[in-house]
Amino acid sequence: MKALSDTWFAEGYIDFELKKYTLLAYLKEINQYFNRNMLYPQLGDVIFHYNNLIAFRENKQYLQQQFPKRLTAVNLERLQVLYEQMIEDNELMDELENIMQYALGKMDRTIREGTEIYEFVEENLNIAPVGLIPLDVQEGYMLLNDGHFSDTLVYQYRLTIFERHDEKYRGIHTQYISTYSRSLAQTDQRIKTDLIRHRKELPNPAVYTVETELKFPVAETLLPIAKRCLVKYITVNRA
């Protein structure tokens, strides 16, 4: 994927036409992925750049709070210097504002297109527990079945909680375990039994099946959305 620098709008010569074509080349490639129903990491990347621009316009200090893991000290210093230049140079401020206004509009349109695909996939996912679910659901297995109706992909999951600012967020970490060929005899319950028999580290796991009739790319679309939907499902049903 064509990478867009985290501080692309503030680097080099700040010229509307130059930044415009840099942005359009980036979004063109993003849209090519979306046209193939491939959402990740592209959708997350566009959202990052969109939020980055919003944060820069509103408060430069917010950048450091919002993106501590991605923006380096060098990038933050560059943005701070640019702020100081903006205060002293009305022409530079106007040019940068035009760049950001244009970029936000274009990115918003791309994000909406990606979000439509995401919501379509989300609406076509069915999640259900396999057998009895233990009290501890922080770790278990996710069985992913797509519209090819040939294989069941098994992932071990572990729920995580991380804090950002004053809020707590639930996340999920998954590890691919194995693939089972689907058949009338190879039911989800049988897969669960086989997992318990051969994987002793989880003697009484929570197991959920995530099914869809869609034939979308697994790694780039189905798996990331399935993970997010599973987190929401578990949170709602265990609250």
Side-chain angles (χ1 to χ4, degrees), residues 94-203:
D94 291 341
E95 189 74 356
L96 190 59
E97 177 61 32
N98 289 335
I99 292 168
M100 291 191 292
Q101 188 68 28
Y102 178 82
L104 287 170
K106 290 294 184 179
M107 287 181 179
D108 180 69
R109 184 179 304 173
T110 299
I111 291 171
R112 288 177 182 273
E113 293 174 358
T115 301
E116 288 179 3
I117 299 173
Y118 182 103
E119 292 175 348
F120 176 74
V121 174
E122 185 179 38
E123 291 170 359
N124 285 275
L125 289 181
N126 297 308
I127 302 177
V130 179
L132 296 176
I133 297 297
L135 293 177
D136 185 3
V137 296
Q138 299 303 304
E139 196 167 8
Y141 299 105
M142 177 179 69
L143 314 183
L144 181 59
N145 302 295
D146 68 5
H148 290 92
F149 304 107
S150 57
D151 296 319
T152 295
L153 305 177
V154 179
Y155 300 86
Q156 183 173 339
Y157 78 82
R158 184 177 71 256
L159 297 181
T160 59
I161 296 179
F162 61 95
E163 296 185 11
R164 188 171 65 184
H165 308 306
D166 297 326
E167 297 182 88
K168 290 185 177 180
Y169 295 84
R170 282 189 175 272
I172 186 171
H173 173 77
T174 58
Q175 178 183 359
Y176 170 76
I177 300 300
S178 61
T179 298
Y180 288 80
S181 296
R182 298 179 68 176
S183 66
L184 292 177
Q186 193 70 282
T187 63
D188 291 334
Q189 183 60 54
R190 189 160 184 173
I191 293 175
K192 177 179 179 178
T193 300
D194 188 68
L195 289 169
I196 294 173
R197 180 183 300 119
H198 293 98
R199 298 182 61 81
K200 304 299 184 182
E201 65 270 25
L202 292 178

Side-chain angles (χ1 to χ4, degrees), residues 80-96:
Q80 189 169 4
V81 169
L82 183 62
Y83 249 92
E84 295 171 356
Q85 292 176 339
M86 286 174 58
I87 295 174
E88 300 175 357
D89 190 337
N90 290 333
E91 184 177 345
L92 174 63
M93 186 182 298
D94 291 341
E95 189 74 356
L96 190 59

